[in-house]
């Protein structure tokens, strides 16, 4: 297990290397000369050249990539052009709302989608199955922000049950926090839920046709026990896999959801950075989100051992 | 294995194009939702083509006196904060969405196919290219597109290119896995044994068998590209604001949600409906072309 973990960890290095190279290339290619910006309007060509040399901007591509990687290894993601603050500081300030939103969505989506998928498979062809499948098709087709505005119009503007937008930190009370989280989480989570429910149903259908499930029924186990203990556990690997892959949906959706609901998180930070052409922020967040995605999927890979003891490393 | 025992079914059943089309037709008849999707998509394409003749006015025509009118007989979807006719803007927005969706599907499939075919057959390239693809795939596609767009000027071509780059790795993976299966087929081995050159094998024996799954994949790419375009436009990193795209219309009327929510609703409904129609068509085609998968999903 330890050997496998290390090997699997090593396998993420080339992937993150490609991501790093890509992100660095964007920085390298980004228009505008940072040296000229730092030097200001009255600087001479010589001043700019001096600053460029000091920043190492006159070095060749791979030397600069090396320098950048070295800084990255020390936790330096560069400095925001607009605010002059380190990108890591800016991300740190915005971390809490984004973390809250993604975790809420993740928990709610998984807690709803897996049981729905299981029931749909157990009663394949029944009305629950049809509803789950129909909702999942719709879930793939309605973009996050369209659903978000639909929900806002109905529940916030018309019915006035929930706030239109905004964010309240958890430390100001659980209920205000939750009230602001409900609509964003539902909007962000629907596509993700659709994905998980679909795969759960498919995986369960596969397992339910196995001989050992028939045996379990035949020896008189309660249907619920068969479904959860015998079927779901054996159907778990594809489900966990899709939960991991689907994280990409959540991460991408965060950018949009935070814009719709005016949540001051990392997604909003990126959107503001686009409007200001603040490249270091865009690249820093791209790198961070990709790293999270890779890490989650590494954990998913390692979790297979738990769900399927036949898998040994 | 298949050579030793001709009776055992091969791993991949080579699809004869004639039967594939017939199966597609039969499956579409069995799936009324796929037909509904196809018809809706056709209507949307007609709307995009015939936009000037559908009772629209100039979608960029500003008129301060008729600002923020609610939907009426004259302004079917109302007017926005600059007095532009929302109906006309939404109708013209169909053009942007479909153009991006179809163009991305076409470009990404074509490039992905080329890369996938070569990497599936040329062993030493495979490891390198697949690592690059793994890396690109681990960047969430919206962020990848944002990062690329931020480098260039906002234009429709750049939007198409950025979304296509984000979609290519998925096509490469699919094509590569198909090639890896197909190259074990006896008829490919026979072609190799008889001295056929690699380009010829790819063109004559491998390529035709990737068409069916690629067609399905292309539909899903089209749907996801339309969503990504709308997202990019919505957050201000996509189609230039002077072009009426659904994402742009929604971005402009964001602050009006409490007083004129309908402006947000109409482009949203059009977008969802179009994406839904493409997805339904894709599901129908997938069921038709892969009956084994169809029973499960």
């Amino acid at each position: 297990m330890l050997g496998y973990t290390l090997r699997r960890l090593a396998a993420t290095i080339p992937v993150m290397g490609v991501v790093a190279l890509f992100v660095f290339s964007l920085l390298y290619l980004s228009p505008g000369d940072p040296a000229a910006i730092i030097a200001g309007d009255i600087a001479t060509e010589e001043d700019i050249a001096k600053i460029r040399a000091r920043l190492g901007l006159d070095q060749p591509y791979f030397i600069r990539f090396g320098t950048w990687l070295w800084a990255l290894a020390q936790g330096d993601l560069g400095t925001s052009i607009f605010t002059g603050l380190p990108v890591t500081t800016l991300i740190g300030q915005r971390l809490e709302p984004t973390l809250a939103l993604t975790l809420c969505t993740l928990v709610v989506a998984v807690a709803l989608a897996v049981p729905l998928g299981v029931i749909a498979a157990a009663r394949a062809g029944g009305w629950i199955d049809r509803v789950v499948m129909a909702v999942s098709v719709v879930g793939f087709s309605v973009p996050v922000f369209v659903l978000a505005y639909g929900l806002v119009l109905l529940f916030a503007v018309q019915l006035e049950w929930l706030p239109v937008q905004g964010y309240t930190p958890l430390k100001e009370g659980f209920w205000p926090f939750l009230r602001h989280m409900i609509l964003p989480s539902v909007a962000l989570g629907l596509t993700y839920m659709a994905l998980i429910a679909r795969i759960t149903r498919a995986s369960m259908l596969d397992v339910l046709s196995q001989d050992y499930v028939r045996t379990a029924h035949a020896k008189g186990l309660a249907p619920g026990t068969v479904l959860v203990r015998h079927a779901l556990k054996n159907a778990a690997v594809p489900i966990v896999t899709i939960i991991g892959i689907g994280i990409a949906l959540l991460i991408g959706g965060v950018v949009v959801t935070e814009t719709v609901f005016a949540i001051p998180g990392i997604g909003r930070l990126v959107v503001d950075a686009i409007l200001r052409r603040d490249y270091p922020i865009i690249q820093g967040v791209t790198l961070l989100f990709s790293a999270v995605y890779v890490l989650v999927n590494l954990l998913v890979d390692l979790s297979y051992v738990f769900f399927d003891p036949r898998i040994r490393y | 294995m298949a050579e030793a025992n001709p009776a055992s079914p091969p791993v991949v059943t080579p699809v004869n194009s004639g039967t594939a089309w017939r199966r597609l037709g039969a499956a579409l008849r069995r799936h009324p939702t796929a037909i509904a999707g196809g018809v809706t998509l056709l209507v949307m394409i007609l709307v995009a083509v015939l936009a000037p003749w559908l009772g629209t006015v100039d979608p960029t025509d500003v008129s301060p006196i008729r600002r923020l009118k609610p939907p009426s007989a004259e302004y079917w979807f109302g007017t926005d904060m600059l007095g532009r006719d929302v109906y006309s803007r939404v109708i013209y927005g169909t053009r942007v969405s479909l153009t991006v969706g179809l163009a991305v599907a076409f470009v990404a499939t074509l490039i992905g196919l080329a890369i996938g075919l070569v990497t599936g057959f040329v062993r030493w390239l495979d490891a390198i290219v697949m690592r690059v693809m793994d890396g690109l795939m681990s960047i969430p596609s919206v962020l990848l597109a944002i990062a690329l767009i931020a480098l260039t000027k906002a234009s429709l071509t750049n939007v198409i290119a950025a979304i296509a780059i984000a979609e290519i790795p998925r096509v490469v993976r699919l094509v590569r896995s198909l090639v890896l299966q197909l190259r074990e087929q006896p008829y490919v081995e026979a072609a190799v044994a008889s001295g056929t050159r690699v380009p010829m094998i790819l063109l004559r024996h491998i390529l035709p068998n990737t068409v069916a799954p690629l067609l399905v994949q292309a539909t899903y790419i089209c749907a996801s590209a339309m969503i990504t375009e709308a997202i990019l436009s919505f957050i201000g990193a996509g189609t230039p604001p002077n072009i009426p795209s659904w994402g742009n219309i929604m971005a402009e009327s964001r602050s009006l949600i409490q007083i004129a929510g309908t402006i947000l609703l109409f482009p949203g409904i059009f977008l969802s409906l179009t994406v839904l129609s493409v997805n339904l068509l894709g599901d129908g085609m997938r069921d038709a072309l892969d009956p084994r998968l169809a029973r499960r999903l």
Side-chain angles (χ1 to χ4, degrees):
Chain A
M1 183 70 203
L2 181 70
Y4 175 76
T5 309
L6 291 177
R7 265 201 316 269
R8 191 58 191 74
L9 203 60
T12 63
I13 291 172
V15 173
M16 278 319 292
V18 170
V19 175
L21 201 61
F22 174 81
V23 167
F24 172 74
S25 303
L26 289 179
L27 203 62
Y28 187 81
L29 293 172
S30 58
D33 183 354
I37 296 170
I38 292 167
D41 292 336
I42 49 162
T44 61
E45 277 297 315
E46 261 173 50
D47 293 337
I48 296 175
K50 239 182 261 168
I51 293 172
R52 196 174 289 138
R54 185 165 56 83
L55 294 174
L57 294 176
D58 53 349
Q59 300 286 321
Y61 176 85
F62 277 103
I63 305 270
R64 280 182 63 188
F65 180 55
T67 320
W68 181 79
L69 264 188
W70 179 242
L72 188 67
Q74 290 161 323
D76 179 6
L77 278 175
T79 311
S80 151
I81 296 172
F82 187 78
T83 58
L85 291 168
V87 173
T88 41
T89 311
L90 290 168
I91 290 177
Q93 288 168 353
R94 309 288 197 102
L95 195 60
E96 191 211 296
T98 303
L99 213 57
L101 177 61
T102 37
L103 286 180
C104 276
T105 310
L106 183 73
V107 170
V108 173
V110 173
L112 285 175
V114 173
L116 280 176
V118 170
I119 296 169
R123 302 259 180 279
W127 68 269
I128 294 181
D129 186 24
R130 281 162 200 271
V131 171
V132 169
M133 290 311 279
V135 171
S136 87
V137 173
V138 175
F140 281 124
S141 306
V142 184
V144 177
F145 63 107
V146 174
L147 178 67
Y149 280 122
L151 291 171
V152 168
L153 278 174
L154 181 62
F155 291 105
V157 177
Q158 289 291 323
L159 297 171
E160 297 185 11
W161 289 352
L162 293 162
V164 173
Q165 55 179 38
Y167 172 75
T168 315
L170 189 53
K171 62 173 182 282
E172 285 173 30
F174 184 68
W175 177 235
F177 166 79
L178 196 66
R179 268 171 59 87
H180 284 94
M181 262 312 133
I182 293 174
L183 292 183
S185 298
V186 173
L188 179 58
L190 187 75
T191 312
Y192 191 46
M193 257 183 71
L195 192 66
I196 300 172
R198 232 180 208 223
I199 298 294
T200 305
R201 176 181 176 275
S203 179
M204 282 294 284
L205 279 181
D206 245 13
V207 172
L208 286 174
S209 63
Q210 300 286 327
D211 288 341
Y212 58 79
V213 172
R214 187 160 14 108
T215 309
H217 277 297
K219 71 181 181 186
L221 289 182
T225 315
V226 178
L227 220 50
V228 176
R229 290 269 294 278
H230 292 248
L232 185 58
K233 195 168 179 215
N234 282 292
V237 167
I239 301 173
V240 177
T241 307
I242 205 70
I243 290 174
I245 293 173
I247 290 285
L249 276 177
L250 283 191
I251 293 173
V254 157
V255 177
V256 189
T257 314
E258 291 185 353
T259 307
V260 172
F261 291 99
I263 296 171
I266 298 175
R268 188 66 224 167
L269 182 69
V270 178
V271 175
D272 292 340
I274 297 166
L275 304 177
R276 294 166 183 163
R277 307 252 141 188
D278 201 336
Y279 301 103
I281 294 184
I282 301 176
Q283 278 117 25
V285 173
T286 306
L287 198 64
L288 174 76
F289 279 3
S290 307
V292 169
Y293 177 76
V294 171
L295 192 72
V296 168
N297 282 287
L298 172 70
L299 293 176
V300 163
D301 266 16
L302 297 178
S303 78
Y304 292 161
V305 183
F306 172 74
F307 290 108
D308 191 347
R310 280 170 304 182
I311 299 174
R312 274 176 215 281
Y313 303 110
Chain B
M1 166 192 113
E3 302 140 282
N5 178 8
S8 76
V11 186
V12 178
T13 321
V15 183
N16 178 308
S17 62
T19 57
W21 286 114
R22 219 174 310 137
R23 272 224 311 268
L24 189 65
L28 287 181
R29 276 192 294 281
R30 265 185 286 119
H31 293 273
T33 50
I35 295 185
V39 170
T40 314
L41 184 62
L42 212 62
V43 170
M44 286 298 176
I45 292 174
L46 283 177
V47 165
V49 174
L50 302 175
W53 297 281
L54 292 174
T56 54
V57 295
D58 181 357
T60 54
D61 188 18
V62 176
S63 164
I65 12 171
R66 45 159 216 243
R67 284 171 49 206
L68 292 175
K69 293 256 190 269
S72 64
E74 196 182 351
Y75 308 109
W76 292 356
F77 294 175
T79 60
D80 67 8
M81 61 286 173
L82 296 175
R84 294 173 299 195
D85 181 36
V86 175
Y87 168 73
S88 303
R89 291 178 70 70
V90 171
I91 292 297
Y92 274 94
T94 316
R95 290 185 165 183
V96 178
S97 214
L98 286 176
T99 307
V100 172
L102 296 175
V104 169
F106 184 72
V107 172
T109 308
L110 218 59
I111 297 178
L113 174 66
I115 301 177
L117 280 180
V118 174
T119 51
F121 234 84
V122 186
R123 265 283 131 95
W124 62 270
L125 256 177
D126 187 56
I128 304 169
V129 173
M130 286 326 283
R131 288 301 80 73
V132 174
M133 293 301 146
D134 284 348
L136 284 181
M137 276 181 87
S138 61
I139 305 173
S141 56
V142 173
L143 271 174
L144 183 61
I146 288 175
L148 288 171
I149 298 269
L151 278 188
T152 54
K153 270 207 287 294
S155 79
L156 208 53
T157 322
N158 288 340
V159 169
I160 292 170
I163 304 176
I165 290 175
E167 296 286 351
I168 286 172
R170 272 164 266 273
V171 183
V172 173
R173 281 213 151 179
L174 174 71
V175 174
R176 175 179 170 273
S177 74
L178 287 169
V179 172
L180 289 182
Q181 281 176 41
L182 288 165
R183 58 183 283 169
E184 305 298 325
Q185 294 293 304
Y187 62 87
V188 175
E189 283 176 2
V192 174
S194 60
T196 317
R197 288 176 186 282
V198 170
M200 200 56 173
I201 294 176
L202 287 176
L203 214 63
R204 287 280 293 276
H205 301 290
I206 307 269
L207 186 64
N209 287 309
T210 60
V211 172
L214 268 182
L215 208 60
V216 177
Q217 179 85 349
T219 356
Y220 291 137
I221 290 179
C222 177
S224 115
M226 288 194 292
I227 292 184
T228 311
E229 185 275 327
I231 288 178
L232 290 177
S233 300
F234 177 74
I235 60 176
T239 312
N242 59 332
I243 300 175
S245 80
W246 293 332
N248 280 341
I249 301 171
M250 294 188 71
E252 291 156 6
S253 33
R254 226 161 69 192
S255 51
L256 304 173
I257 177 110
Q258 310 220 38
I259 44 174
T262 46
I263 307 179
L264 283 154
L265 219 51
F266 288 115
I269 291 171
F270 267 72
L271 173 61
S272 308
L273 211 60
T274 312
V275 176
L276 180 66
S277 69
V278 176
N279 273 336
L280 288 177
L281 196 64
D283 286 352
M285 282 181 6
R286 183 201 58 208
D287 292 358
L289 299 166
D290 189 353
R292 192 184 55 83
L293 202 68
R295 275 201 306 275
R296 298 175 47 213
L297 286 175

